Short mmCIF file of all heavy atoms in Angstrom, two decimals:
data_model
loop_
_atom_site.label_atom_id
_atom_site.label_comp_id
_atom_site.label_asym_id
_atom_site.label_seq_id
_atom_site.Cartn_x
_atom_site.Cartn_y
_atom_site.Cartn_z
N THR A 72 -22.86 0.25 -8.39
CA THR A 72 -21.67 0.79 -7.71
C THR A 72 -20.61 -0.29 -7.57
O THR A 72 -19.43 -0.08 -7.85
CB THR A 72 -22.08 1.38 -6.35
OG1 THR A 72 -23.11 2.34 -6.59
CG2 THR A 72 -20.91 2.03 -5.65
N ALA A 104 -12.85 3.04 13.06
CA ALA A 104 -11.51 3.63 13.13
C ALA A 104 -10.43 2.55 13.07
O ALA A 104 -9.46 2.66 12.29
CB ALA A 104 -11.36 4.46 14.40
N ALA A 186 -24.15 19.56 -5.88
CA ALA A 186 -23.67 19.72 -7.26
C ALA A 186 -24.16 21.03 -7.87
O ALA A 186 -23.45 21.64 -8.67
CB ALA A 186 -24.13 18.54 -8.12
N ALA A 188 -24.35 23.85 -6.62
CA ALA A 188 -23.40 24.92 -6.28
C ALA A 188 -22.06 24.71 -6.97
O ALA A 188 -21.43 25.65 -7.44
CB ALA A 188 -23.20 24.95 -4.77
N LEU A 220 -34.93 26.18 -5.79
CA LEU A 220 -36.34 26.40 -5.42
C LEU A 220 -36.84 25.15 -4.71
O LEU A 220 -36.56 24.04 -5.17
CB LEU A 220 -37.16 26.62 -6.71
CG LEU A 220 -38.68 26.57 -6.51
CD1 LEU A 220 -39.23 27.98 -6.27
CD2 LEU A 220 -39.39 25.95 -7.71
N VAL A 226 -45.45 20.16 -10.53
CA VAL A 226 -45.58 20.87 -11.81
C VAL A 226 -44.76 22.16 -11.77
O VAL A 226 -44.07 22.50 -12.74
CB VAL A 226 -47.07 21.16 -12.12
CG1 VAL A 226 -47.20 22.06 -13.34
CG2 VAL A 226 -47.83 19.84 -12.33
N THR A 237 -35.72 11.64 -10.69
CA THR A 237 -36.39 11.09 -9.53
C THR A 237 -35.61 9.88 -9.02
O THR A 237 -34.58 9.50 -9.60
CB THR A 237 -37.86 10.74 -9.80
OG1 THR A 237 -38.52 10.50 -8.54
CG2 THR A 237 -38.00 9.51 -10.68
N HIS A 252 -46.80 5.50 0.38
CA HIS A 252 -46.82 5.61 -1.08
C HIS A 252 -47.89 6.56 -1.61
O HIS A 252 -47.68 7.24 -2.59
CB HIS A 252 -47.00 4.22 -1.70
CG HIS A 252 -45.71 3.51 -1.86
ND1 HIS A 252 -45.55 2.37 -2.60
CD2 HIS A 252 -44.49 3.81 -1.36
CE1 HIS A 252 -44.28 2.00 -2.54
NE2 HIS A 252 -43.63 2.85 -1.79
N HIS A 267 -44.66 18.95 -18.87
CA HIS A 267 -44.42 20.32 -18.40
C HIS A 267 -42.96 20.74 -18.57
O HIS A 267 -42.64 21.94 -18.49
CB HIS A 267 -44.81 20.44 -16.92
CG HIS A 267 -46.28 20.32 -16.69
ND1 HIS A 267 -47.16 21.37 -16.87
CD2 HIS A 267 -47.04 19.26 -16.32
CE1 HIS A 267 -48.39 20.96 -16.61
NE2 HIS A 267 -48.35 19.69 -16.27
N ALA A 272 -36.23 17.92 -22.86
CA ALA A 272 -35.75 17.57 -21.52
C ALA A 272 -35.38 16.09 -21.43
O ALA A 272 -35.99 15.24 -22.09
CB ALA A 272 -36.82 17.88 -20.48
N MET A 275 -33.84 11.36 -15.87
CA MET A 275 -32.77 10.61 -15.20
C MET A 275 -33.28 9.90 -13.95
O MET A 275 -34.17 10.41 -13.25
CB MET A 275 -31.63 11.54 -14.79
CG MET A 275 -30.84 12.06 -15.95
SD MET A 275 -29.29 12.79 -15.37
CE MET A 275 -28.61 13.26 -16.94
N ASP A 288 -43.48 3.19 -16.85
CA ASP A 288 -42.75 2.53 -17.94
C ASP A 288 -42.61 3.47 -19.13
O ASP A 288 -41.57 3.52 -19.79
CB ASP A 288 -43.52 1.27 -18.41
CG ASP A 288 -43.36 0.10 -17.43
OD1 ASP A 288 -42.39 0.09 -16.65
OD2 ASP A 288 -44.24 -0.78 -17.46
N VAL A 298 -31.45 6.66 -18.64
CA VAL A 298 -31.07 5.95 -17.41
C VAL A 298 -29.94 4.93 -17.63
O VAL A 298 -29.11 4.73 -16.74
CB VAL A 298 -32.28 5.29 -16.71
CG1 VAL A 298 -33.30 6.34 -16.30
CG2 VAL A 298 -32.93 4.21 -17.56
#
Side-chain angles (χ1 to χ4, degrees):
T72 304
L220 168 93
V226 172
T237 193
H252 275 192
H267 292 279
M275 289 195 179
D288 284 338
V298 299

